[in-house]
Amino acid sequence: MCFTQVSRESRSLTEILKFRMEQVALLQLEDDFNEALLDATMDLHDQNCNQDSSPLLPEVRQELRSRVRRSSVLSLEDQSPEGCSPKESFCKRALRYFQRLLHCLWQKWQAALAWLKTTLAAGVQALCRAVEAIWSVFNDFCSFMAQVIRSTMQA
């Protein structure tokens, strides 16, 4: 009887340990995916950067990095080893977790892309307003100079 109780407890601890190791492995996999995708994104942007576009500002790069890094999107904490079916094989459970991880990564990258589009659009609008303001001042200056030259020629 005592042996049965110890056996159940150690089996339960083993299951909990295995479950926690799966969580750590998936979170590490998520971090590795994010870093690889971020590096590839930045490299691709730098390669495609030409005279018409400028490189991302360091602040924008840092904000993009922080938005993509691990967040609460992939929350494995809400699951417990007790919630796993004992008949489910390790491979099926790993596949299910991996599919969930991919879905969460897709959501996170979609959100980061939406933020980047908004940020770049706001930056372009601000740049356009600045160029329009400079153009307006320059246009006023040219008009003023034209009037001065006309009045000088008429005198």
Side-chain angles (χ1 to χ4, degrees), residues 76-142:
L76 296 176
E77 287 76 24
D78 60 348
Q79 295 186 10
S80 64
E82 292 81 26
C84 296
S85 170
K87 294 183 180 181
E88 184 180 35
S89 71
F90 171 77
C91 291
K92 285 184 180 181
R93 187 169 54 242
L95 178 61
R96 184 169 46 87
Y97 284 159
F98 186 71
Q99 288 172 334
R100 183 173 177 200
L101 171 68
L102 290 178
H103 179 73
C104 290
L105 284 171
W106 181 83
Q107 287 178 326
K108 188 186 304 186
W109 277 88
Q110 288 298 316
L113 180 61
W115 170 82
L116 189 59
K117 284 180 180 179
T118 303
T119 300
L120 292 178
V124 168
Q125 288 175 351
L127 179 63
C128 289
R129 285 192 300 270
V131 168
E132 288 171 351
I134 291 169
W135 179 254
S136 175
V137 169
F138 180 71
N139 196 18
D140 292 344
F141 173 76
C142 289

